[in-house]
Amino acid sequence: MEGLANIAYSDAHRALLAEFAAASEKQLSPQLEKIVHDISLVGVTCYPWDHLKQLLAYKLSLVLDDHNCRTPEMRFEEKRNTLLKQLQSFVDPPFTVQRLCELLVNPGLYSNTHKYLFAVDKVLLVTSTQQTLSPEAYDAQVQTLLANMGAIYASNKSDAELNRTKSESEESAFPQTQPDSSLGAALDSFTPTTVQVPILDASGASTTTTFTSGSPADSMDVVDDRSQATAGVTSAAESTTHQQFSSLASDASAMDVDNQKIDGDAMDVDKPAQ
């Protein structure tokens, strides 16, 4: 918004641009840099293209050299000269002149020379062009763009205020609840309790064990102790069952041996005498 408010046609800029294009030894000035910057914002121009493309070509050459010093590119001279020739070949501003100026104003958009060369080459591959506006048409275009940007800014600001008001209404309708401090007081005043827990021993007899809790956490200890006691009874019962099963298996094995002996004796009785 602030940058657009300072954009307007200038006779001084026009004269300075013509002087730059005719000079044998060229040098950039803040006023010339502003011309490139303005185009990057509005996308149109009101200065003679023959003079303006000399400025853009010189600026592009400087940016490419600086990029290549930091990240050298193979066949750099050949690629740079190809891009400069492409730019000089346009008889009118290319349709992508705004993007070209964005790349010149912000060369750090790409971290190395190869990517930057590719981006500029893509911009200059277009064939469509745009007209150079008259000073009056240029200023009107800038004012229209400024008005549109102002409307968008106002709309976004209004939406932000509406969302903030809605958020405040929701917060007032559903206030945040404070934590109940009575729970902490109840825990602090907790008194020990005694619990009688019936459990079974290994023989199956019922006994009673007394547990005393001194804090709420001890209640969980009671449950854990009872679980451990129950687990011990279960383990003892399983051991007893295993012993009984082993005894039964031994008795069955002994019975099988006796039966085999009886069968053998019977065969001996039935066998004829020799």
Side-chain angles (χ1 to χ4, degrees):
M1 293 285 293
E2 295 179 358
L4 290 175
N6 297 325
I7 298 176
Y9 169 79
S10 171
D11 288 330
H13 286 173
R14 186 186 183 97
L16 189 61
L17 188 59
E19 181 181 348
F20 174 86
S24 57
E25 295 184 1
K26 304 183 185 304
Q27 186 176 1
L28 288 177
S29 65
Q31 293 81 6
L32 293 174
E33 294 276 14
K34 186 177 185 306
I35 294 175
V36 181
H37 182 266
D38 290 350
I39 299 174
S40 71
L41 295 178
V42 299
V44 292
T45 180
C46 56
Y47 302 111
W49 173 244
D50 288 341
H51 298 164
L52 181 59
K53 69 180 176 181
Q54 300 299 324
L55 172 61
L56 298 181
Y58 182 76
K59 175 72 173 176
L60 177 59
S61 180
L62 292 179
V63 171
L64 289 175
D65 288 342
D66 181 67
H67 250 299
N68 192 59
C69 288
R70 290 184 283 109
T71 55
E73 173 74 6
M74 296 180 59
R75 300 165 53 199
F76 170 72
E77 294 292 337
E78 176 185 348
K79 295 177 181 179
R80 181 187 64 176
N81 293 336
T82 299
L83 293 178
L84 294 176
K85 289 180 179 178
Q86 288 177 337
L87 178 58
Q88 293 286 359
S89 66
F90 284 97
V91 295
D92 288 307
F95 183 75
T96 54
V97 66
Q98 182 177 16
R99 179 57 180 166
L100 174 61
C101 290
E102 288 176 352
L103 293 173
L104 296 178
V105 172
N106 301 299
L109 291 173
Y110 296 91
S111 58
N112 58 60
T113 307
H114 179 76
K115 292 182 179 179
Y116 189 80
L117 286 168
F118 180 78
V120 175
D121 180 60
K122 186 168 63 173
V123 167
L124 297 178
L125 283 177
V126 299
T127 57
S128 56
T129 60
Q130 58 177 284
Q131 293 182 349
T132 299
L133 302 178
S134 65
E136 297 78 14
Y138 178 79
D139 288 341
Q141 180 80 3
V142 171
Q143 292 302 317
T144 300
L145 182 61
L146 185 61
N148 293 338
M149 293 293 292
I152 295 174
Y153 175 78
S155 176
N156 292 338
K157 184 178 180 180
S158 177
D159 292 341
E161 293 178 351
L162 179 62
N163 292 334
R164 183 173 64 254
T165 303
K166 181 179 180 181
S167 177
E168 293 175 352
S169 300
E170 292 176 351
E171 290 178 357
S172 60
F174 301 98
Q176 296 182 353
T177 58
Q178 298 297 327
D180 188 3
S181 59
S182 61
L183 179 60
L187 292 178
D188 293 337
S189 61
F190 182 84
T191 56
T193 57
T194 301
V195 180
Q196 299 289 336
V197 181
I199 60 175
L200 299 177
D201 57 14
S203 63
S206 175
T207 62
T208 301
T209 302
T210 303
F211 296 95
T212 302
S213 60
S215 66
D218 292 336
S219 299
M220 296 304 299
D221 295 338
V222 170
V223 176
D224 292 340
D225 292 341
R226 182 172 182 179
S227 299
Q228 293 176 3
T230 304
V233 172
T234 303
S235 177
E238 291 177 352
S239 177
T240 301
T241 303
H242 178 71
Q243 292 176 359
Q244 294 175 351
F245 179 79
S246 298
S247 178
L248 291 174
S250 299
D251 294 343
S253 178
M255 292 177 64
D256 289 341
V257 172
D258 293 341
N259 290 335
Q260 292 176 2
K261 183 176 180 181
I262 294 172
D263 292 341
D265 293 342
M267 292 178 64
D268 292 339
V269 172
D270 294 337
K271 184 181 300 183
Q274 295 291 332

